[in-house]
Amino acid sequence: NAGVMQNPRHLVRRRGQEARLRCSPMKGHSHVYWYRQLPEEGLKFMVYLQKENIIDESGMPKERFSAEFPKEGPSILRIQQVVRGDSAAYFCASSPPTQARTEAFFGQGTRLTVV
Amino acid sequence: AQSVTQLDSQVPVFEEAPVELRCNYSSSVSVYLFWYVQYPNQGLQLLLKYLSGSTLVKGINGFEAEFNKSQTSFHLRKPSVHISDTAEYFCAVWRQNSGNTPLVFGKGTRLSVIA
């Protein structure tokens, strides 16, 4: 059973471009969480998704950021018109359905650099 | 809403000395508690978790933590550290029996083991 897979591991974008970060959860996990980690800071929650539903997006910036978790395929975190302040490590985690949710499993992260 | 406070941002300690990393949380409901470790340029790996039962929890790499409900604390300890324990450590809480809340992290404690 492969772990949570994130790709790419490293992503470089010029200001104004779009960044698409992908996350494939562990097999059988229907819940996905995205976090952002800035230098010298902890992990900030961004968004919580189930298949085809956004459960909690209270941590997402109101503009330029969006996330989806389609019925088929990976979860995608999309950042439009990136700015230097978007440079960070973005981590995805997955967990089983609610009643079996006692642990979140993390991917290796995508390190976004905006130049 | 719950929050997590890690009281020390950096902890230097000599090799083979004991260490304690402090974590306090605030929540009006019962929670699950976690410690994760992050090595440089890596994702998060679960060290240990408290779900119920014995308040002393043993994890990987010789770490243990004690849940203290009256003090709302979940401090992490190791009796003798190694150079390889140098990493960032994150405490996290998750509301029990709540389907739609994310894992909430502290800001992390950077443990530096000195030879």
Side-chain angles (χ1 to χ4, degrees), chain A residues 49-105:
Chain A
L49 308 113
Q50 294 179 21
K51 288 278 187 182
E52 300 183 283
N53 282 309
I54 296 175
I55 305 303
D56 181 351
E57 57 181 346
S58 58
M60 287 275 274
K62 292 290 186 284
E63 297 176 349
R64 302 188 297 109
F65 285 73
S66 62
E68 62 176 5
F69 188 15
K71 187 177 181 181
E72 300 291 338
S75 175
I76 305 287
L77 178 67
R78 185 180 176 205
I79 311 172
Q80 295 179 294
Q81 299 175 326
V82 296
V83 300
R84 289 237 170 93
D86 296 332
S87 295
Y90 292 83
F91 290 94
C92 167
S94 73
S95 71
T98 304
Q99 60 272 23
R101 190 187 70 173
T102 58
E103 184 176 338
F105 297 80

Side-chain angles (χ1 to χ4, degrees), chain A residues 9-10 31 33 35 37 40-45 47-48 50 55-56 58 89 91 94-95 98 101-109 111, chain B residues 10 32 34 36 38-46 49 51 88 90 94-108 110:
Chain A
R9 290 291 306 276
H10 300 274
H31 297 208
Y33 314 82
Y35 290 83
Q37 185 180 33
E40 308 304 321
E41 295 191 19
L43 281 87
K44 299 289 189 185
F45 166 73
V47 62
Y48 167 20
Q50 294 179 21
I55 305 303
D56 181 351
S58 58
F91 290 94
S94 73
S95 71
T98 304
R101 190 187 70 173
T102 58
E103 184 176 338
F105 297 80
F106 281 81
Q108 294 294 295
R111 282 156 182 81
Chain B
Q10 297 189 49
Y32 297 139
F34 305 82
Y36 284 85
Q38 184 183 32
Y39 299 103
N41 297 316
Q42 298 291 316
L44 275 75
Q45 179 182 3
L46 183 70
K49 60 184 177 183
L51 304 179
E88 189 97 21
F90 293 96
W94 215 344
R95 282 180 63 178
Q96 289 188 31
N97 303 319
S98 175
N100 296 331
T101 57
L103 196 60
V104 176
F105 285 87
K107 289 194 172 183
R110 182 160 296 172

